[in-house]
DNA sequence: TTGTGTTTTATTGCCTCC
DNA sequence: GGAGGCAATAAAACACAA
C-alpha cells in the first residue's frame, strides 16, 4: 500500500468479519425485513433488488450508522457457528459483489445531476444505498472514467465526420482543378495555332516545321524516336523558353506563383511529376522537399495520383503557367 | 460446460490543491 | 501532509458462442 493510503473495504474480507456473507445469507433466507436503511430509495425499491449474490451492502458504515446492530450483520454468529460451510466461507478472501440494478440506477441519476461528489453527498448517498462512502466514491470515479471514454468516442466521431466532409470538398476541388487544367490546355493550344497562323516567327516554329504535327501531342520523352533534327530543335526551344520563363518567375512577388511555375517547368519540359525531385537542380530539390514537408500527409498520395504525366501540348509552352497553384485548395 | 471477451468493482501510485 | 482525483491495472462477475 504505497503513498500511505489505506482502503479497507470493511465487508466480508479475509479478516473473517463475514458481514457481507451474513447479509447475503440473510437475504436469501428472506430476512431482509430488518432493513437497516430507511431511505426513500430503499423503501421504494423491491426487496429483491438487494438480494442474492448481486447484492452489495453497506457494512461498517451502516453498521455504525445504525447503532451497530450486531444481530443484523451477524445473524448466524451464534446460531450457526458450528456450520463448517459457513465457517469456510467466512474465511474466504473477499469477493467482489456487483451493485444491484436499483443501486446503480440511483447512482446514475445522482451522477446525471452532478458527476462530482462532495463529501456530504457521498455520505448521504452511501447512507441511502447502504454502501460505504468509499464504494460510492469509487463508483463515481469509475463512472467518470466511462463517461470520459464515451465522450472521447463521440468527439472522435465528430472529427471523423468533419474530416470526411472536408475530404469530399477537397476531392471536388481537385476534380474542378483538373477540369480547369484541361480547359487551359485546350485554350493554350488554340492560342498557339492562332499565333502560328498569324505568321509570328519564333525559334520554335522555325525549327519545328518538320515535326509540326507530332510535337503538340507527344511528350518529350516520347520524342526519342524522332530524327536528329527535331531533337535539337526541341532542346533549343526548351532552353530558350525556360530562361524566359525563369525571368518571369523571378519578377513575380507571389510565392505561390513561383511554386506553380516551378512545377510547370518540371511538368512541361521533363514530363515528370510535380513533386519529383530533380537531381540536377539542388535548389529546386530543396523547394520540393519543403513543399512535401509542409503539406498535410494525406495530400501527397492525391497529388501523385493526379495525372501530371499528361503531355503538354507543346514543349515550349511557358507563356501560360499551366500549374497555377493559386486555385489549389491548400495554397492560400 | 467451457473458453473467451466484456463490464464492473476495487486497488495502486502519482499528482494537485488547500 | 492529508484528501481527493485520475490513469492504469487487477480481478471478479457476467454474457455468450461453440
Amino acid at each position: 500500500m504505497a503513498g500511505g493510503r489505506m482502503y479497507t473495504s470493511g465487508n466480508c474480507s479475509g479478516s473473517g468479519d463475514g458481514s457481507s456473507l451474513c447479509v447475503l445469507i440473510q437475504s436469501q433466507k428472506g430476512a431482509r425485513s430488518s432493513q437497516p436503511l430507511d431511505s426513500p430509495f430503499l423503501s421504494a425499491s423491491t426487496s429483491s433488488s438487494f438480494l442474492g449474490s448481486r447484492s452489495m451492502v453497506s457494512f461498517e458504515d451502516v453498521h455504525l450508522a445504525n447503532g451497530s446492530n450486531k444481530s443484523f450483520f451477524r445473524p448466524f454468529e451464534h446460531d450457526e457457528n458450528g456450520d463448517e460451510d459457513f465457517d469456510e466461507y467466512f474465511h474466504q478472501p473477499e469477493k467482489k459483489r456487483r451493485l444491484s440494478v436499483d443501486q446503480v440506477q440511483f447512482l446514475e441519476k445522482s451522477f446525471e445531476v452532478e458527476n462530482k461528489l462532495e463529501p456530504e453527498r457521498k455520505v448521504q448517498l452511501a447512507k441511502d444505498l447502504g454502501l460505504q462512502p468509499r464504494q460510492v466514491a469509487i463508483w463515481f470515479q469509475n463512472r467518470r472514467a466511462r463517461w470520459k471514454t464515451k465522450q472521447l468516442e463521440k468527439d472522435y466521431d465528430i472529427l471523423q465526420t468533419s474530416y470526411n466532409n472536408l475530404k469530399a470538398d477537397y476531392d471536388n476541388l481537385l476534380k474542378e482543378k483538373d477540369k480547369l487544367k484541361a480547359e487551359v490546355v485546350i485554350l493554350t493550344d488554340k492560342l498557339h495555332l492562332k499565333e502560328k497562323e498569324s505568321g509570328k516567327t519564333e525559334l520554335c516554329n522555325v525549327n519545328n516545321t518538320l515535326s509540326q504535327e507530332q510535337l503538340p501531342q507527344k511528350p518529350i520523352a516520347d520524342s526519342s524516336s524522332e530524327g536528329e533534327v527535331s531533337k535539337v530543335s526541341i532542346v533549343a526551344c526548351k532552353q530558350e523558353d525556360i530562361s524566359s520563363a525563369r525571368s518571369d518567375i523571378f519578377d513575380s512577388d507571389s510565392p505561390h506563383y513561383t511554386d506553380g511555375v516551378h512545377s510547370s517547368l518540371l511538368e512541361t519540359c521533363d514530363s515528370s511529376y510535380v513533386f519529383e525531385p530533380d537531381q540536377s537542380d539542388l535548389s529546386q530539390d530543396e523547394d520540393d522537399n519543403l513543399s512535401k514537408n509542409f503539406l498535410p500527409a494525406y495530400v501527397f498520395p492525391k497529388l501523385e495520383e493526379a495525372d501530371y504525366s499528361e503531355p503538354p501540348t507543346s514543349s515550349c509552352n511557358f507563356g501560360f503557367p499551366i500549374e497555377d497553384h493559386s486555385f489549389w485548395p491548400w495554397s492560400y
Side-chain angles (χ1 to χ4, degrees), chain A residues 41 102-118 120-126 128-129 136 139-140 143-144:
Chain A
F41 163 70
D102 289 336
Q103 280 173 316
V104 170
Q105 274 179 3
F106 195 71
L107 286 166
E108 286 285 357
K109 281 196 175 141
S110 184
F111 183 84
E112 276 173 29
V113 174
E114 174 65 59
N115 71 346
K116 293 269 174 151
L117 200 57
E118 307 82 35
E120 308 85 51
R121 194 158 147 251
K122 178 171 68 180
V123 171
Q124 188 56 49
L125 270 173
D128 289 349
L129 292 168
V136 174
W139 189 90
F140 267 74
R143 187 65 183 78
R144 278 194 296 269

Side-chain angles (χ1 to χ4, degrees), chain A residues 180-192:
Chain A
L180 290 169
K181 199 176 142 191
E183 257 181 61
V184 167
V185 168
I186 290 166
L187 290 172
T188 309
D189 260 358
K190 283 183 180 173
L191 188 69
H192 273 264

Side-chain angles (χ1 to χ4, degrees), chain A residues 26-37:
Chain A
Q26 189 180 30
S27 301
Q28 287 167 336
K29 293 195 173 189
R32 294 294 296 173
S33 55
S34 58
Q35 177 62 259
L37 305 170

Side-chain angles (χ1 to χ4, degrees), chain A residues 178-223:
Chain A
D178 286 343
K179 265 188 194 171
L180 290 169
K181 199 176 142 191
E183 257 181 61
V184 167
V185 168
I186 290 166
L187 290 172
T188 309
D189 260 358
K190 283 183 180 173
L191 188 69
H192 273 264
L193 278 174
K194 269 192 177 179
E195 280 176 357
K196 282 175 194 170
E197 281 168 7
S198 64
K200 217 178 179 182
T201 53
E202 286 180 32
L203 181 61
C204 281
N205 289 344
V206 172
N207 285 334
N208 286 343
T209 46
L210 288 175
S211 54
Q212 211 170 15
E213 287 167 44
Q214 287 95 334
L215 264 181
Q217 279 81 31
K218 288 197 172 184
I220 296 162
D222 291 342
S223 67

Side-chain angles (χ1 to χ4, degrees), chain A residues 80-98:
Chain A
E80 319 230 359
N81 218 16
D83 192 319
E84 283 181 7
D85 289 342
F86 289 134
D87 197 46
E88 191 181 326
Y89 206 110
F90 289 161
H91 288 90
Q92 277 180 354
E94 177 190 345
K95 295 265 181 180
K96 282 180 190 173
R97 297 191 192 287
R98 294 206 167 184

